[in-house]
Amino acid sequence: HMHWAEEGFDREVRLRMNDGEDYFIFTFSLEGCWQDIAGSRRRSFDRPAGTMALLRYREIYEHRAIPMNKAVHLSMAIESRQLLDWLGEERLQQHPRLDRFLKGHGAACLVLPLTQRARLAVEQIRHCPFQGLARALAMEARCLDLLVEMVEAAENTGGARPVQRRLNAQDQERIQGVAERLRKSLSEPPTLAELARQYNLSESKLKAGFHQVFGTTTFGYLRQLRMEHARQLLTTGDCSILEAANVVGIKNPSHFASLFKQHFGTNPKQFQMNGDRQK
């Protein structure tokens, strides 16, 4: 089962988990922060923006949504026996850390940095241009890509990330203001120094706080905004590829095409052609 969510919380929300279902949850967080409380000792694990996590659901006592303007995340649930059968005992033996986790040893939540390939797969799911059977096949392919990234990352990195000191309400508001300024300045964005001065933050605090809320840098966020707006322009058919690139402030058509493909997995021309076929 796959679930895509874009949710806003102005206060802490707690969801008590007690149905005893035995499955694994894979999560991929783009914005916001969730916290999981697990095990008899009620150990807490933060899942901030820019992370992906694997959870043994039967051991999760409670999910907590940390108050922020918006939480954007993708989650996939797979029955434990189905996943273990699919991976196979022989293959799991080649990945001892993952094998131990899946068989119930150690912490119930494995939190890892969101890789670039995983972020790309999530964005392709979020903005899938296909319909019908083609959409179903594309979604299944991207979900498999995400499982591959999680398996690889789980074996090659350590356990849960250290808990970050959360931003206070005033700093969260400032960071959201920075994001809003970027959303309104796609063609001529301000510099990091200008943003820091405008919102009364040091550059180091701005960079750290922005990454905590959005899981990326201000430049990375600007690039995401530009690509999303370009996608919308190309979807409506009101702009040519060159015009869309100019609207979002990218003057080099080749660079625009390269960024678009990195973000959506297809170049702008192919994207337009797929859109035309769906009309």
Side-chain angles (χ1 to χ4, degrees):
H1 303 285
M2 182 179 70
H3 176 66
W4 175 264
E6 297 190 29
E7 305 158 315
F9 303 100
D10 57 7
R11 59 185 176 83
E12 184 177 83
V13 175
R14 299 188 178 195
L15 303 175
R16 190 65 54 83
M17 319 308 292
N18 58 6
D19 57 14
E21 293 289 341
D22 188 13
Y23 52 87
F24 295 104
I25 298 179
F26 297 78
T27 70
F28 305 85
S29 300
L30 300 184
E31 296 182 31
C33 182
W34 283 83
Q35 185 180 74
D36 301 298
I37 311 300
S40 59
R41 296 184 179 181
R42 300 294 188 260
R43 185 179 175 186
S44 65
F45 301 88
D46 276 10
R47 291 188 280 116
T51 62
M52 54 187 185
L54 176 56
L55 293 75
R56 293 195 298 265
Y57 181 80
R58 66 182 180 275
E59 297 177 41
I60 302 300
Y61 171 74
E62 186 175 76
H63 290 309
R64 295 176 183 173
I66 307 304
M68 288 189 179
N69 281 17
K70 187 167 68 170
V72 180
H73 59 99
L74 174 74
S75 61
M76 300 187 298
I78 303 177
E79 291 183 1
S80 299
R81 179 46 52 191
Q82 181 182 2
L83 180 62
L84 290 170
D85 288 345
W86 180 62
L87 293 174
E89 184 66 30
E90 185 175 341
R91 280 181 289 187
L92 274 176
Q93 288 177 0
Q94 301 172 25
H95 300 275
R97 183 176 294 153
L98 181 63
D99 186 33
R100 283 182 52 80
F101 178 86
L102 295 179
K103 292 178 179 176
H105 301 289
C109 184
L110 187 62
V111 184
L112 306 162
L114 184 67
T115 66
Q116 185 58 40
R117 287 192 297 268
R119 183 182 290 275
L120 173 60
V122 171
E123 290 292 353
Q124 289 174 344
I125 289 172
R126 187 181 190 182
H127 303 297
C128 182
F130 305 111
Q131 300 295 328
L133 179 60
R135 182 180 181 85
L137 291 172
M139 289 290 191
E140 184 172 343
R142 298 294 77 76
C143 286
L144 289 174
D145 288 342
L146 289 172
L147 291 181
V148 169
E149 283 300 300
M150 184 71 80
V151 168
E152 185 71 12
E155 189 58 33
N156 293 327
T157 60
R161 288 164 42 129
V163 175
Q164 294 175 298
R165 183 179 180 182
R166 297 197 193 106
L167 297 172
N168 60 40
Q170 185 179 48
D171 285 340
Q172 283 188 37
E173 185 175 346
R174 288 170 174 167
I175 294 298
Q176 292 293 344
V178 169
E180 182 63 22
R181 173 76 190 279
L182 291 173
R183 285 192 285 269
K184 294 179 178 179
S185 311
L186 297 185
S187 59
E188 296 183 4
T191 66
L192 187 69
E194 289 170 338
L195 289 169
R197 284 196 299 270
Q198 180 178 352
Y199 292 94
N200 196 27
L201 293 164
S202 67
E203 290 189 29
S204 59
K205 189 168 188 177
L206 170 55
K207 289 190 286 187
F210 199 92
H211 200 283
Q212 185 174 335
V213 174
F214 293 101
T216 187
T217 63
T218 53
F219 179 76
Y221 185 72
L222 174 65
R223 183 171 55 195
Q224 292 173 23
L225 292 173
R226 283 172 158 172
M227 291 302 99
E228 172 57 21
H229 189 50
R231 182 194 68 83
Q232 292 172 351
L233 293 172
L234 295 177
T235 298
T236 63
D238 294 335
C239 285
S240 68
I241 294 173
L242 183 59
E243 289 170 336
N246 285 329
V247 167
V248 299
I250 301 175
K251 307 306 180 185
N252 186 317
S254 297
H255 183 52
F256 172 75
S258 176
L259 289 176
F260 195 94
K261 186 170 185 178
Q262 288 176 25
H263 199 73
F264 297 113
T266 184
N267 64 46
K269 186 64 176 177
Q270 290 171 328
F271 181 85
Q272 279 189 319
M273 292 173 62
N274 288 334
D276 289 340
R277 284 198 293 268
Q278 299 299 328
K279 292 179 181 179

